[in-house]
Amino acid sequence: MTHDTAAPHGSPSTGAHPREMHPQRWGDPAAATALPEAARGLVELAFGLHETPAATEVELPPVGLGDDVLAALADVVGPDQVHVDDASRRLRTRGKSTPDLLRARSGDLADAPDAVVRPGSHDEVAGVLALAVEHHLAVVPFGGGTCVTGGLAARRDGFAGLVSLDLVRLDALLEVDEVSMTATLEPGLRGPEAEALLAEHGLCLGHYPQSFEHASIGGFAATRSSGQSSAGYGRFDQMVVGLRVATPRGEWRLGSSPANAAGPDLRQLVLGSEGAFGVITAVTVRVRRLPEVKVYEGWRWGSFVEGAAAMRTLAQSGTLPTVLRLSDEAETGLNLARPDAIGEESTGCLMIVGHEGTPAQVESRRAAVTEVLTGLGGTPLGEEPGASWAHGRFHAPYLRDSMLDVGVLVETLETATFWSKVDALYADVRAALERELGAEGGSAIVLCHISHVYETGCSLYFTVATSAGEAPMGRWGRAKAAANDAIVANGATISHHHAVGTDHRPWLGAEIGDLGASVLRAVKADLDPTGVLNPGVLVP
């Protein structure tokens, strides 16, 4: 058992910015590692090894903004906060989906913004938006850049230029209310920075998505993020009690009380809006006391069906731990839930269970969960599998780059449905991926885990590995479309926590209906009448 807090990647108090991610890879360049030998052997056996280095010389399109526009932007944010150099523009081009990375690795940075603009206040954000309307510039709000659904690849056609609105300078903890247990944070704070600032007050958010090390508070809100500890702390949108938003129509403040019946909850229009309706400039969130104890353990189940039934029992009995996830037989066999153990033989289905809180809380909840899981036939594996998972939980995205280096495409997709529909959804999405990627003599490994649970249902998170081939973009595009079709046919959601972006937008209409799409278009037209905010993203 340990007591720990995340260390920040930068120092908000001194204005230092977090370490930048590699423009052609995931995460901190210093943390990148070669494919482990055990994994390399599995890859060679399944797909063969085809060394595929990324392009080293990448040419950006010329800056398309005139000196008058650049000068006007500089007047709003300061001359040192308008960047048109290649390095800045390259770092703010697209997100980190596999298609995004494939294009960057091939040397295609045609989507690079004309300028990277870094406002330092709500008023400066509003000023940039006013200039964007005046000059008809597309504006892409940029937080941590971890988006995996094309949400940072805005449409450029019809606009005089494209500006990346980099929120990295909005990195303050504005207020802490320890009586109400809320805190107000600026959107540019990365996950580790936010937790470090709150830890100084003995508090935490407890929101740890796999993108935690680089994703931002504003991004968590704008995409309705859900972290690995959602069973205990809730989704990020459940944590949000207030928002401040800059829109082309003016300032919008939301959240005057913890709950209300004053009409529909308009905060929900901003949460998940992906920067298409406005730019979040402050987020007020519910916070918790820092846990004194964290303990993670493993449980083994004979099948995915048995493990899922156990999760449902926990959720519906109100006996949820802080962390609860279940790998299917294939994912358990490859030990993907434990990146440092890939290649080691493992059978059955691995469940990770985590408890956080005071010693008394952890002891009580752990005993209750253990009683339920033991009674349902689970086999306790002790703390080693849980500790291994916790240690490696942010390492997996780096493996994707290592796989691309040897010609293997790895991508993820996720969805959610009701418990009664889980088996059919799991089977149909898996079959769609295997069928599409197995066409024309191809092969694929399809893995899945249940990542988040509710009383009424759960989220399924699929990981796919396949040979990149000669045209990896088209290969994955067809497979993703087949999986999305299967998701829609099963009445499940097109995204549980990765958001819509551009990748999921063609299927959103089937989920929300023509009337729902019309409502989104009406909101967009009212808040952003000239359509400058993240055009082409989210709204059908």
Side-chain angles (χ1 to χ4, degrees):
M1 299 187 193
T2 60
H3 169 88
D4 60 0
T5 57
H9 279 194
S11 173
S13 60
T14 61
H17 296 157
R19 184 170 292 171
E20 294 282 5
M21 289 196 287
H22 193 288
Q24 295 172 307
R25 307 176 76 88
W26 173 268
D28 180 357
T33 57
L35 198 64
E37 280 305 313
R40 190 177 179 89
L42 288 173
V43 169
E44 185 171 17
L45 182 64
F47 308 114
L49 296 175
H50 307 280
E51 302 296 337
T52 312
T56 55
E57 295 186 14
V58 181
E59 186 173 340
L60 273 68
V63 174
L65 300 181
D67 290 343
D68 57 333
V69 175
L70 294 173
L73 290 168
D75 285 343
V76 173
V77 300
D80 293 338
Q81 304 303 335
V82 178
H83 303 269
V84 295
D85 59 287
D86 282 0
S88 297
R89 295 169 63 209
R90 184 180 296 115
L91 288 168
R92 294 297 176 263
T93 302
R94 309 189 198 103
K96 296 298 181 182
S97 69
T98 290
D100 287 339
L101 293 176
L102 286 171
R103 293 181 66 187
R105 289 169 65 95
S106 73
D108 174 8
L109 291 182
D111 291 339
D114 293 295
V116 177
V117 180
R118 292 175 172 155
S121 68
H122 172 94
D123 289 345
E124 289 185 3
V125 171
V128 172
L129 295 186
L131 278 174
V133 171
E134 179 184 352
H135 296 280
H136 202 52
L137 308 175
V139 176
V140 179
F142 192 99
T146 60
C147 177
V148 293
T149 57
L152 298 176
R155 190 185 71 241
R156 300 181 64 109
D157 56 294
F159 293 90
L162 187 145
V163 169
S164 174
L165 190 68
D166 188 355
L167 302 173
V168 68
R169 293 175 62 217
L170 293 173
D171 62 354
L173 171 60
L174 297 175
E175 182 181 8
V176 175
D177 181 347
E178 294 194 44
V179 175
S180 304
M181 289 296 283
T182 65
T184 301
L185 305 161
E186 287 191 314
L189 278 170
R190 304 300 196 266
E193 295 177 300
E195 291 291 2
L197 289 171
L198 289 170
E200 294 175 7
H201 299 268
L203 304 171
C204 71
L205 270 174
H207 185 69
Y208 302 107
Q210 196 164 53
S211 60
F212 168 75
E213 293 179 309
H214 300 281
S216 69
I217 293 295
F220 293 156
T223 60
R224 302 177 72 92
S225 174
S226 192
Q228 65 196 28
S229 303
S230 65
Y233 293 104
R235 295 166 55 94
F236 192 79
D237 53 333
Q238 294 173 313
M239 301 177 185
V240 175
V241 298
L243 295 158
R244 188 183 189 191
V245 186
T247 81
R249 290 282 307 281
E251 180 181 358
W252 199 12
R253 287 184 180 266
L254 296 163
S256 59
S257 59
N260 69 74
D265 188 350
L266 295 179
R267 288 172 298 189
Q268 299 302 321
L269 281 177
V270 176
L271 297 170
S273 64
E274 304 183 43
F277 299 159
V279 180
I280 296 168
T281 58
V283 184
T284 301
V285 290
R286 179 202 71 217
V287 292
R288 303 287 180 87
R289 296 292 176 195
L290 270 173
E292 298 175 37
V293 174
K294 295 184 180 183
V295 56
Y296 306 102
E297 58 190 7
W299 287 78
R300 187 171 307 287
W301 298 88
S303 71
F304 196 49
V305 171
E306 292 174 32
M311 298 176 97
R312 175 169 57 85
T313 299
L314 289 175
Q316 294 178 346
S317 66
T319 319
L320 279 175
T322 308
V323 174
L324 185 63
R325 58 173 282 150
L326 174 72
S327 295
D328 70 359
E329 292 87 347
E331 186 171 283
T332 300
L334 286 179
N335 266 310
L336 195 67
R338 301 166 57 198
D340 57 346
I342 288 176
E344 297 177 12
E345 184 177 357
S346 190
T347 60
C349 290
L350 175 65
M351 177 185 286
I352 299 295
V353 179
H355 305 276
E356 300 180 10
T358 65
Q361 288 171 335
V362 168
E363 182 180 1
S364 173
R365 293 171 187 165
R366 190 179 186 185
V369 170
T370 297
E371 182 179 1
V372 172
L373 296 183
T374 302
L376 292 171
T379 302
L381 302 177
E383 295 184 23
E384 192 280 327
S388 176
W389 168 80
H391 175 73
R393 63 189 184 263
F394 301 132
H395 297 172
Y398 290 96
L399 288 173
R400 179 178 55 166
D401 293 310
S402 302
M403 298 282 268
L404 285 172
D405 288 341
V406 295
V408 177
L409 187 155
V410 177
E411 186 57 297
T412 63
L413 60 91
E414 42 75 42
T415 180
T417 192
F418 297 104
W419 286 115
S420 60
K421 299 179 178 181
V422 168
D423 292 349
L425 178 65
Y426 172 76
D428 287 355
V429 173
R430 184 186 181 95
L433 290 166
E434 291 177 339
R435 181 179 63 251
E436 187 60 48
L437 292 171
E440 300 177 1
S443 62
I445 297 172
V446 181
L447 317 173
C448 184
H449 65 263
I450 294 177
S451 58
H452 306 83
V453 297
Y454 308 92
E455 289 185 18
T456 54
C458 66
S459 170
L460 294 177
Y461 192 104
F462 293 87
T463 300
V464 180
T466 186
S467 298
E470 296 299 319
M473 290 283 289
R475 181 167 166 75
W476 173 245
R478 291 187 295 273
K480 179 69 179 284
N484 287 347
D485 288 343
I487 288 170
V488 168
N490 277 271
T493 181
I494 199 64
S495 178
H496 171 264
H497 58 272
H498 281 172
V500 175
T502 56
D503 292 358
H504 294 151
R505 191 178 67 147
W507 289 269
L508 181 62
E511 181 169 336
I512 65 175
D514 292 342
L515 192 57
S518 178
V519 169
L520 289 184
R521 289 193 292 268
V523 173
K524 173 74 169 175
D526 192 52
L527 294 174
D528 181 22
T530 60
V532 298
L533 280 170
N534 227 3
V537 171
L538 175 66
V539 183

